[in-house]
Amino acid sequence: MKTIIIALAALGLTAPAFAQALALDRNETIYSADGTKIGKVDRVLTAADGAVSAVRIIYRGKFIAIPAATLSAGEKGVTTSLSNAELKKL
């Protein structure tokens, strides 16, 4: 049980650092998990320590915050692991 908790904690600590390594900028295009363009970065949200915590985009006429832990560099550009159905719930 301790091993699982430690592993989960380690994953949580590395996710913001990974997203920060992407060097996200305003107007950067974000793609969904299925490869469709979902929007452009309106704002990069940071935690108190300066690490990227989320990006805010306009999706279907409203602002949504996509967690940094779901972002990665894809073939087209920055991709979220969230599907369009999951994005609609944010």
Side-chain angles (χ1 to χ4, degrees):
M1 184 68 168
K2 285 184 181 180
T3 306
I4 293 172
I5 293 171
I6 292 170
L8 290 174
L11 287 173
L13 293 175
T14 59
F18 177 71
Q20 191 172 18
L22 289 175
L24 296 166
D25 293 318
R26 189 162 190 238
N27 293 324
E28 181 117 20
T29 302
I30 305 291
Y31 296 90
S32 68
D34 61 4
T36 59
K37 179 180 172 181
I38 58 170
K40 292 187 177 190
V41 174
D42 174 67
R43 185 172 180 193
V44 178
L45 305 171
T46 57
D49 64 357
V52 175
S53 61
V55 294
R56 184 175 76 174
I57 68 167
I58 298 174
Y59 180 72
R60 297 187 173 215
K62 68 176 186 172
F63 285 110
I64 63 168
I66 300 174
T70 69
L71 300 174
S72 63
E75 289 181 22
K76 294 182 177 181
V78 180
T79 303
T80 180
S81 60
L82 300 174
S83 68
N84 283 326
E86 293 169 318
L87 290 167
K88 288 178 190 176
K89 294 178 184 177
L90 292 179

